[in-house]
């Protein structure tokens, strides 16, 4: 937790939300859950060169400066190494420069929240990511305690991480009537092709399969309300795989 945050965040304080744990990724700035300015990056966009200019442009369009930021919310993965590293590193740099805390939002929480918001009761959500090399990265997001589907950003999640798994093994692991979502549904064709043969499954609408910075923002604001913020140094990304250099070292 933040021990002595140098700035106090009020309900209408400026904030930035970053989501680069998926492609294409997006960024949001705002002063409240309903006052959001968003930019979605093109599928072939370069997070490394485009992220900071996008944030600066959005903050200026919103009428304030990046130095005014009181909170950074960032998706922490799982995600691919390069994009996720850029997003988390940028979030830390802004937090250190502005002297503000970070809301570290697991990408699985973002996707589970979107799946519940798309309809249905609050229940465990099976989230899959395309890990490449013919594999998925699987996470089950379990809602904690009693939760209201009408207030999805207030839901708190616990995670059961399966990690890397073949599409076939993942399909076989799904319980009856499972709620399924995640980028793996659109990217891992072997995984999604056979899902229609499981009519018992509830597949989230395609529009909710990719994490959105707007959801990261709302979850970050909810975390701030609960005083669940961290120092920039404490934010650790969760990668789908180690970097190529790390894998090569063994």
């Amino acid at each position: 937790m933040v021990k002595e945050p140098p700035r106090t965040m009020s309900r209408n304080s400026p904030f930035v939300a970053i989501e680069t744990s998926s492609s294409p990724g997006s960024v949001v700035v705002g002063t409240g859950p309903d006052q959001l300015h968003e930019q979605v990056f093109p599928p072939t966009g370069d997070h490394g060169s485009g992220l900071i200019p996008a944030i600066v442009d959005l903050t200026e369009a919103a009428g304030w400066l990046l130095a005014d930021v009181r909170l950074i919310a960032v998706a922490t993965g799982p995600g691919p190494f390069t994009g996720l590293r850029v997003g988390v590193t940028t979030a830390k740099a802004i937090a250190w420069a502005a002297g503000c805390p970070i809301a570290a939002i697991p990408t699985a929480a973002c996707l589970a929240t979107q799946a519940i918001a798309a309809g249905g009761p609050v229940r465990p959500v099976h989230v899959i990511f395309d890990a490449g090399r013919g594999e998925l990265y699987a996470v089950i997001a379990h809602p904690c305690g009693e939760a209201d589907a009408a207030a999805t950003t207030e839901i708190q999640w616990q995670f059961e991480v399966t990690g890397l798994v073949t599409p076939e093994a993942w399909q076989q692991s799904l319980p009856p009537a499972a709620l399924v979502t995640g980028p793996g549904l659109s990217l891992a064709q072997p995984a999604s092709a056979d899902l229609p043969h499981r009519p018992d499954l509830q597949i989230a609408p395609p529009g909710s399969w990719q994490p959105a910075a707007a959801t990261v923002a709302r979850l970050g604001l909810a975390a701030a309300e609960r005083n669940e913020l961290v120092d920039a140094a404490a934010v650790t990304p969760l990668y789908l795989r180690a970097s190529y250099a790390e894998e090569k070292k063994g």
Side-chain angles (χ1 to χ4, degrees), residues 7 26 28 54 61 65 91 94 105 114 150 156 166 171 193 201 213:
R7 297 185 180 186
S26 54
V28 156
L65 301 176
I94 296 173
I105 307 300
Q114 292 174 184
Q156 298 184 60
T166 65
Q171 290 178 51
L201 299 179

Side-chain angles (χ1 to χ4, degrees), residues 10-230:
S10 68
R11 183 175 293 272
N12 295 318
S13 295
F15 64 85
V16 172
I18 298 171
E19 200 305 290
T20 59
S21 66
S22 67
S23 179
S26 54
V27 63
V28 156
V29 306
T31 53
D34 300 316
Q35 302 291 327
L36 304 180
H37 303 265
E38 182 178 20
Q39 179 173 326
V40 178
F41 298 110
T44 57
D46 180 3
H47 293 148
S49 62
L51 184 55
I52 284 291
I55 294 172
V56 171
D57 289 347
L58 286 173
T59 56
E60 291 180 351
W64 43 275
L65 301 176
L66 194 53
D68 298 326
V69 172
R70 297 295 190 273
L71 172 69
I72 309 292
V74 62
T76 57
F81 183 83
T82 301
L84 185 55
R85 179 184 58 180
V86 167
V88 171
T89 300
T90 300
K92 289 185 173 187
I94 296 173
W96 277 317
C100 69
I102 290 179
I105 307 300
T107 304
C110 179
L111 290 163
T113 298
Q114 292 174 184
I116 296 297
V122 178
R123 57 197 178 99
V125 182
H126 295 254
V127 185
I128 56 167
F129 302 84
D130 183 359
R133 306 180 192 176
E135 292 181 307
L136 302 175
Y137 191 100
V139 178
I140 306 174
H142 297 273
C144 301
E146 295 183 3
D148 183 0
T152 54
T153 57
E154 298 296 330
I155 301 173
Q156 298 184 60
W157 302 93
Q158 290 183 334
F159 304 103
E160 179 183 343
V161 179
T162 301
L164 296 174
V165 63
T166 65
E168 295 76 17
W170 172 74
Q171 290 178 51
Q172 293 171 6
S173 73
L174 291 174
L179 174 57
V180 178
T181 192
L185 288 174
S186 58
L187 298 179
Q189 293 303 317
S192 59
D194 291 336
L195 290 182
H197 300 295
R198 287 282 305 272
D200 62 299
L201 299 179
Q202 180 183 349
I203 301 175
S208 64
W209 293 355
Q210 296 289 341
T215 307
V216 174
R218 294 186 175 99
L219 291 174
L221 291 173
E225 289 282 340
R226 299 190 299 266
N227 196 29
E228 295 177 353
L229 304 178
V230 297

